[in-house]
Amino acid sequence: MRPPLNSPGGTVNRAIGGRSSRSFIEQGRLAAIHAVIRPGDYLFVQFGHNDATVGNAERYTPPADYKEYLRNDYIRATRALGATPVVVTPVSRRSYDASTGKFNVSFPAYVDAAKAVAREENAALVDLSAASRSYLDRTGVEASKGIFLWLDAGQYPNFPGGVQDNTHFQERGAAEMARLVSRSVAGLGLPLSDEVVPTAAR
């Protein structure tokens, strides 16, 4: 999306925590994006984590419904406004096989649904599930704590007792995931791909 004229960076971040593909629509957040999106803009769509929260009725969205929300509301409706949707598979959690040290596929049903609908609708796809898992495999189980929100007591004022969070990222982790998305975009063959500035692999 194009930002307001006084907004730096050329992007607008409408992401918000705790929303699923369904609740983001129900709360009017996608409608607010569609009200201002214009031809030539891009809409990057990543859900799955909150959709998979079976115990939370406000968030939970079965994989089949998630797929149809992506198809009808995020892909087709965005294209109807002249903009380009980019489907992003769910990023990996810090979940691994202790016997091999290899990271597991997080939210596999949602990863598969995102890939399928992107293929069926001929939409651009960033497979962040695979890219983040490969990155974490290279990083290693112990070192990956520095990617996710693992903090010792007293290390950070907002978590005085420390925290062990295998879902959310520290600033370094967030930057690394953004870098993975950018590298993927560079290979999509979109007009936007030429705007990605190459960086050394990590």
Side-chain angles (χ1 to χ4, degrees):
M1 290 177 54
R2 290 187 182 87
L5 293 178
N6 61 352
S7 176
T11 61
V12 175
N13 182 3
R14 295 294 181 92
I16 185 168
R19 272 62 176 186
S20 66
S21 60
R22 173 177 57 83
S23 67
F24 195 85
I25 295 168
E26 291 175 345
Q27 293 175 9
R29 296 180 181 277
L30 181 59
I33 292 172
H34 283 163
V36 297
I37 204 167
R38 292 182 287 176
D41 289 344
Y42 294 84
L43 178 65
F44 284 73
V45 181
Q46 186 206 51
F47 290 99
H49 283 65
N50 292 309
D51 295 76
T53 312
V54 177
N56 187 324
E58 182 179 348
R59 298 181 181 181
Y60 177 63
T61 309
D65 292 349
Y66 158 87
K67 182 180 178 182
E68 293 311 306
Y69 284 126
L70 291 183
R71 184 194 311 279
N72 297 315
D73 298 274
Y74 293 94
I75 296 175
R76 292 183 178 177
T78 298
R79 282 176 167 166
L81 296 168
T84 301
V86 179
V87 177
V88 183
T89 58
V91 68
S92 294
R93 299 184 70 247
R94 189 175 176 272
S95 168
Y96 55 89
D97 184 330
S99 66
T100 64
K102 296 296 184 181
F103 282 78
N104 300 318
V105 178
S106 300
F107 318 103
Y110 295 88
V111 171
D112 290 346
K115 289 180 179 179
V117 75
R119 182 173 61 252
E120 292 161 9
E121 295 295 317
N122 195 28
L125 176 76
V126 170
D127 191 357
L128 186 56
S129 171
S132 59
R133 194 167 65 256
S134 177
Y135 171 78
L136 291 169
D137 283 341
R138 293 194 306 271
T139 301
V141 169
E142 188 62 27
S144 68
K145 292 177 181 177
I147 300 298
F148 290 89
L149 198 56
W150 275 62
L151 301 172
D152 295 329
Q155 186 177 344
Y156 193 74
N158 285 1
F159 299 95
V163 64
Q164 297 181 358
D165 182 337
N166 291 317
T167 297
H168 300 97
F169 297 105
Q170 296 189 43
E171 183 176 352
R172 173 193 165 196
E176 294 294 352
M177 296 305 121
R179 188 173 287 110
L180 293 176
V181 171
S182 295
R183 288 197 186 119
S184 295
V185 169
L188 289 179
L190 298 170
L192 182 64
S193 301
D194 294 335
E195 302 299 320
V196 177
V197 178
T199 59
R202 297 192 179 191

